[in-house]
Amino acid sequence: MNTTAVTVSQVWQWLGEIPDPEIPVISIVDLGVVRDVSVQENKVSVVITPTYSGCPAMREITEHITKELTSRGFEDVNLETRIAPAWTTDWMSATGKAKLESYGIAAPQAKGSPNRCPQCKSTDVEKISQFGSTPCKAQWRCTDCLEPFEYFKCI
Amino acid sequence: MSQVDSHLIEFLLRQGDNPLILGHRTSEWCGHAPALEEDIALANTALDLIGQTQLWLSYAAEVEGGGRSNNDLAFLRDVYDFRNVLMVEVPNEDFARTMVRQFLFDAFQVPWLTTLQASSDQRVSDIAIKSLKEALYHLERSSDTVIALGDGTELSNDRMQTALNYLWPYSGEFFGEDDTDKAMEKRDIAPLPVSIRETWNSTVSSTLDTANLIAPSDPFAHSGGRTGVRHTEHLGHLLATMQTLQRSHPGAQW
């Protein structure tokens, strides 16, 4: 395929279809790890940033991006990992936050704790542990419906 | 040939080796912690620390310019090449010592990384900004745990006090000072570690007070880790495990 007519916004759209390897309900664009895209004929450059410095999903994200853009016809896919400015949950899209909640993960809140149970929407929640199944999440529990749930840490 | 910036390399190794060795020690709990939540928390803390190590040691390898990678620095150096403080290499012993050590370390890292954010070296500043977010979260958890167990039962208080008595003589090394520290200060890359001692003291004493724990009064401090002059016997054993793959299969890659 000839990529000369491909626009930057088209590439963003394709990247927006790549799921996060650990929370597949949101895309890597929703998560805010894709920071920049540039296109030059058959060459595409993508800048990504890790959520946490030891995030084990970075390698898989890199592979997914390369595979996706190669299959779209780019001969040269250049990926750069940048740590500055440091990733923040502020970069997560509103769509991403809504998808998280419907999936059962409470979205990050500036106050540092979930505002409601993603299942029954009760605001009576308590912390079980500061960490969860991935570096970006903590474990909480609803004291109304008694369901434990994960909360996306706000950093 | 340009001169190698040995003071900067030394400084970067110190920044990278502390989270590497502590991260490895912490990871030893994986599958053994007293509760599932603690197991997960310890493994995640270890992951953050090792992630920070990659950033520091990558930069150290670049400054060195000898073709080594961050992995080479982590897995192909021997005991006396390491520049971590002695506290992070002593055995975990029990959950009490593991958490008191994490707290004493986090209470240092938070003000330390905070000052490094203003480093004249852009890379140092970038790494500090990234790592600080994680260190703040670690400090929140480790201080909560120190308070919960110190101010817990007679048994948990006793275990925490024993851990504190053991670790206390290792805390003075955080504030060591040599030619590298002076060179970093002169170039505005990092302040002298002693400049954050008051902040560390105040975080530690207020948490210990709440936790009903008493800091030992003896000012004696072990040293030798951050300069590489004299590590404890424990580091060699730790490296034998951590580096076993590269020792058995040199150059092996994923």
Side-chain angles (χ1 to χ4, degrees), chain B residues 119-132:
Chain B
S119 175
S120 63
D121 184 309
Q122 190 61 48
R123 276 286 283 281
V124 169
S125 165
D126 290 348
I127 299 171
I129 291 168
K130 183 78 189 161
S131 306
L132 178 61

Side-chain angles (χ1 to χ4, degrees), chain B:
Chain B
M1 194 179 132
S2 64
Q3 199 166 356
V4 175
D5 191 344
S6 57
H7 280 314
L8 182 57
I9 294 170
E10 178 81 6
F11 169 79
L12 294 170
L13 290 177
R14 289 174 184 179
Q15 307 317 307
D17 287 347
N18 279 340
L20 174 61
I21 300 303
L22 183 59
H24 182 81
R25 275 286 180 232
T26 310
S27 78
E28 290 173 357
W29 277 101
C30 192
H32 302 282
L36 181 60
E37 287 77 9
E38 295 308 327
D39 202 291
I40 289 170
L42 286 162
N44 272 300
T45 305
L47 189 63
D48 285 344
L49 291 170
I50 291 166
Q52 294 166 17
T53 298
Q54 289 180 330
L55 302 175
W56 290 115
L57 294 188
S58 295
Y59 188 28
E62 279 174 43
V63 175
E64 194 180 60
R68 293 205 283 185
S69 69
N70 56 3
N71 280 325
D72 293 335
L73 290 176
F75 297 113
L76 302 177
R77 282 182 300 154
D78 209 341
V79 171
Y80 291 101
D81 301 326
F82 276 80
R83 295 293 183 267
N84 57 281
V85 291
L86 300 175
M87 186 193 283
V88 298
E89 69 194 43
V90 297
N92 291 333
E93 181 70 16
D94 59 7
F95 189 65
R97 192 194 284 177
T98 302
M99 291 315 299
V100 173
R101 174 175 56 195
Q102 187 70 44
F103 167 66
L104 296 175
F105 180 77
D106 294 341
F108 175 81
Q109 283 299 87
V110 166
W112 180 241
L113 293 170
T114 301
T115 62
L116 292 189
Q117 291 183 113
S119 175
S120 63
D121 184 309
Q122 190 61 48
R123 276 286 283 281
V124 169
S125 165
D126 290 348
I127 299 171
I129 291 168
K130 183 78 189 161
S131 306
L132 178 61
K133 288 178 176 235
E134 294 159 7
L136 282 163
Y137 201 79
H138 295 172
L139 178 61
E140 191 184 319
R141 171 172 180 273
S142 60
S143 51
D144 280 357
T145 312
V146 165
I147 291 167
L149 293 176
D151 188 27
T153 63
E154 202 177 318
L155 174 66
S156 72
N157 176 272
D158 185 52
R159 295 277 285 264
M160 294 298 271
Q161 187 63 55
T162 303
L164 182 62
N165 294 348
Y166 177 86
L167 292 168
W168 194 256
Y170 290 101
S171 59
E173 196 185 6
F174 288 142
F175 309 101
E177 187 173 314
D178 64 5
D179 287 348
T180 291
D181 298 299
K182 288 175 191 154
M184 292 300 101
E185 191 210 19
K186 200 173 169 195
R187 290 158 62 181
D188 287 325
I189 292 175
L192 292 175
V194 74
S195 67
I196 60 161
R197 188 158 200 161
E198 275 309 306
T199 312
W200 183 84
N201 281 343
S202 115
T203 308
V204 169
S205 65
S206 73
T207 303
L208 294 183
D209 279 352
T210 316
N212 290 325
L213 295 169
I214 300 154
S217 53
D218 189 343
F220 172 76
H222 293 289
S223 63
R226 75 195 293 276
T227 55
V229 169
R230 186 174 50 250
H231 279 280
T232 68
E233 67 186 284
H234 308 294
L235 183 60
H237 294 276
L238 181 151
L239 294 182
T241 304
M242 188 179 89
Q243 300 177 333
T244 184
L245 187 85
Q246 287 299 327
R247 291 184 187 205
S248 306
H249 305 280
Q253 291 195 359
W254 286 112

